[in-house]
Amino acid sequence: MIIYEYPFNERIRTLLRLEDLFDKADYFVQQAGAQEHHVALLTLFEILEVAGRADLKMDLIQELERQRQTLLGFRNNPAISEEALSGALYELEQASASLLAMAGKIGQSLRDNDWLMGIKSRASIPGGVCEFDVPSYHFWQHQSSEVRKAALAGWLKPFTPLDHGLSIVLRLLRNSGGVEHLVAPGGAFQRTMTGIASQMVRVILPSQSPFVPEISANKYALNIRFMRPDSEHRPRPCDSSVEVPFDIVFCAL
């Protein structure tokens, strides 16, 4: 299955972007090559930019607390496993505590590192971190894989509470909705959003499906237009006779 997620507000959009960046950073840090570690460092710089939103940490803390209060309402419910409930509450409490313990602006320790900020500045220029531009970075890239991995892990560590917190919130969001099985005649689907309190929509297609959903939405309506990429991957409209089967999930916390 291929899942396409479309956020309905800036907060969820930011969380999805950070999730994607953390996944990429984690993947490239685990590799052994200097080029992969270069990509990991560039991804770290992107995380630093996206995570710089002033209210991000407090938004996560408030959402985690709201979910904790909701779960507390299920105490002594015979239909709910006490063990599972206690585990979920503990996870929420630990995530909140870790976020609260983050002092100052997110990623400030990296911003205070002149060497890293020099590389970040040069990296914004095409080819700007060649060996003749930043010889100290060229030297770092020639250290052992273990040395580079340890450095990258250390630079990413201050973001761990943020990564953990947003993972919990997005997991709860994704599990909040029910699946609807639908068909888009002519590759077009529209639904009015009146009465639907949703923060994100998920459109699910089989992996072998040749269609790609282009999604747009506002507070009044959701529109999905299914396109079919040609041999050069350019999206093309479907024929009016085509029917596109898909699943959809409206998610809200």
Side-chain angles (χ1 to χ4, degrees):
M1 294 296 218
I2 302 179
I3 301 174
Y4 300 86
E5 296 180 329
Y6 187 86
F8 291 156
N9 59 58
E10 189 60 32
R11 182 167 66 93
I12 301 302
R13 188 173 292 114
T14 298
L15 295 186
L16 289 173
R17 284 178 174 149
L18 280 170
E19 179 189 52
D20 180 64
L21 290 170
F22 279 124
D23 287 345
K24 287 177 181 176
D26 182 63
Y27 172 81
F28 286 110
V29 167
Q30 298 307 315
Q31 308 308 306
Q35 295 301 325
E36 286 86 351
H37 289 167
H38 173 68
V39 176
L41 187 58
L42 296 183
T43 305
L44 174 61
F45 294 150
E46 291 186 65
I47 291 172
L48 190 62
E49 288 295 321
V50 178
R53 213 185 84 189
D55 55 350
L56 177 61
K57 183 173 73 172
M58 194 51 61
D59 278 352
L60 282 174
I61 292 170
Q62 290 174 350
E63 188 57 55
L64 290 168
E65 176 60 22
R66 195 165 70 84
Q67 294 303 315
R68 190 181 76 86
Q69 292 297 328
T70 300
L71 290 181
L72 283 172
F74 291 105
R75 286 284 196 197
N76 303 317
N77 186 326
I80 303 296
S81 164
E82 277 296 318
E83 183 179 356
L85 182 59
S86 296
L89 285 168
Y90 178 78
E91 184 182 28
L92 289 169
E93 289 162 2
Q94 289 297 107
S96 292
S98 296
L99 284 165
L100 283 167
M102 294 176 72
K105 190 174 182 180
I106 296 173
Q108 190 58 47
S109 59
L110 271 65
R111 293 185 180 90
D112 292 338
N113 187 319
D114 293 340
W115 183 70
L116 282 176
M117 291 302 96
I119 296 168
K120 181 177 181 292
S121 176
R122 294 294 310 176
S124 64
I125 303 169
V129 289
C130 285
E131 59 187 88
F132 54 83
D133 287 307
V134 193
S136 61
Y137 182 56
H138 186 61
F139 173 79
W140 181 81
Q141 289 182 299
H142 280 76
Q143 301 304 295
S144 69
S145 176
E146 289 72 23
V147 168
R148 293 194 307 270
K149 281 185 179 181
L152 288 165
W155 295 329
L156 280 165
K157 188 175 180 180
F159 297 97
T160 300
L162 182 64
D163 185 15
H164 188 208
L166 71 87
S167 295
I168 294 173
V169 170
L170 288 177
R171 185 176 74 232
L172 292 170
L173 180 63
R174 288 174 175 130
N175 292 336
S176 66
V179 178
E180 296 181 58
H181 308 289
L182 301 170
V183 173
F189 172 81
Q190 184 179 74
R191 175 169 291 182
T192 59
M193 297 298 289
T194 306
I196 300 177
S198 182
Q199 293 166 290
M200 181 174 75
V201 66
R202 309 181 86 203
V203 176
I204 307 167
L205 292 166
S207 299
Q208 67 274 18
S209 173
F211 303 105
V212 176
E214 292 191 350
I215 305 169
S216 62
N218 55 40
K219 61 182 179 181
Y220 302 110
L222 167 72
N223 293 283
I224 305 175
R225 184 174 59 163
F226 289 93
M227 310 294 280
R228 189 167 191 162
D230 62 18
S231 60
E232 295 184 358
H233 311 291
R234 294 172 298 189
R236 302 299 187 194
C238 298
D239 283 327
S240 58
S241 60
V242 171
E243 293 191 337
V244 181
F246 68 101
D247 293 342
I248 194 168
V249 183
F250 289 95
C251 306
L253 291 173

